Amino acid sequence: MQEFFQGMNFVSSIRPLFYVSRVLGLAPFSFNSNFAVKEIGTFWLLYTVVTLITVLSCSIICVMQRVKQSVLLVAIVVNEFLSMFLGGLTAFSSILMSITRKSVISRKIVSKIIKIDKELLNDSSTTYTKTIIFTLIQVILVYCYATVLFTYDTVLWTTAMEKISIWYFISGYPHRLVNLGPIVEFCDLVLLLISRLKSLNSRLSLILR
């Protein structure tokens, strides 16, 4: 635990978000021991490809499960089909872009943020420790809530409607978890950037007095 909070900086403060994104196949870069951005390794590249195939396979199963349902109203089947198809397509595209185009762009953006933060906003380790604790708690709460919600949803509907296969529900969860990743990333990064801009403004105010 002590090593986790050593050498705190802007990059280390987003580690919980980075680890979750890596598991979901949405982290097209990595960090070295000094928290400098580097290209993703071969192992994680292969892991991302496997994740991509898994999400694609589950999305196909999910769509087929919707098509085969005869016990539900046509309107429900069509709505479910479209939402699952578009959700699966979005998740597939997000992971695919992280492997191809987003890799270089993401590394450049993160490297620039690190450079600016290091040169202009050399905050104390206390600020970064608070940031990493907030990010860690937020990530845990979001994904624990999603896990509980998906589990409850599956148990409730499979119990109420015995003719519907359990794969009807389970196959729709992988792409939902992947699509949840960019939302959490966007919210966290916006909050971090707002915090950094406020810190910069306060420093400039002191200089200009």
PDB file of all heavy atoms in Angstrom, residues 83 131 179 193:
ATOM      1  N   SER A  83     -31.012  -1.680 -29.499  1.00  0.00           N
ATOM      2  CA  SER A  83     -30.166  -1.168 -28.422  1.00  0.00           C
ATOM      3  C   SER A  83     -28.935  -2.047 -28.214  1.00  0.00           C
ATOM      4  O   SER A  83     -27.824  -1.540 -28.018  1.00  0.00           O
ATOM      5  CB  SER A  83     -30.959  -1.062 -27.114  1.00  0.00           C
ATOM      6  OG  SER A  83     -31.422  -2.334 -26.694  1.00  0.00           O
ATOM      7  N   THR A 131      -6.588  12.918  -4.802  1.00  0.00           N
ATOM      8  CA  THR A 131      -7.133  12.639  -6.134  1.00  0.00           C
ATOM      9  C   THR A 131      -7.221  11.142  -6.393  1.00  0.00           C
ATOM     10  O   THR A 131      -8.232  10.644  -6.889  1.00  0.00           O
ATOM     11  CB  THR A 131      -6.258  13.291  -7.225  1.00  0.00           C
ATOM     12  OG1 THR A 131      -6.178  14.690  -6.988  1.00  0.00           O
ATOM     13  CG2 THR A 131      -6.849  13.050  -8.605  1.00  0.00           C
ATOM     14  N   ASN A 179     -18.740  -0.003 -22.562  1.00  0.00           N
ATOM     15  CA  ASN A 179     -19.286   1.324 -22.864  1.00  0.00           C
ATOM     16  C   ASN A 179     -19.344   2.223 -21.625  1.00  0.00           C
ATOM     17  O   ASN A 179     -19.342   3.450 -21.744  1.00  0.00           O
ATOM     18  CB  ASN A 179     -20.689   1.201 -23.464  1.00  0.00           C
ATOM     19  CG  ASN A 179     -20.671   0.634 -24.860  1.00  0.00           C
ATOM     20  OD1 ASN A 179     -19.677   0.760 -25.579  1.00  0.00           O
ATOM     21  ND2 ASN A 179     -21.748  -0.010 -25.264  1.00  0.00           N
ATOM     22  N   LEU A 193      -9.010  17.891 -14.900  1.00  0.00           N
ATOM     23  CA  LEU A 193      -8.574  19.073 -15.637  1.00  0.00           C
ATOM     24  C   LEU A 193      -9.125  20.351 -15.012  1.00  0.00           C
ATOM     25  O   LEU A 193      -8.434  21.373 -14.955  1.00  0.00           O
ATOM     26  CB  LEU A 193      -9.004  18.962 -17.101  1.00  0.00           C
ATOM     27  CG  LEU A 193      -8.265  17.899 -17.927  1.00  0.00           C
ATOM     28  CD1 LEU A 193      -8.856  17.790 -19.325  1.00  0.00           C
ATOM     29  CD2 LEU A 193      -6.777  18.220 -18.013  1.00  0.00           C
TER      30      LEU A 193
END
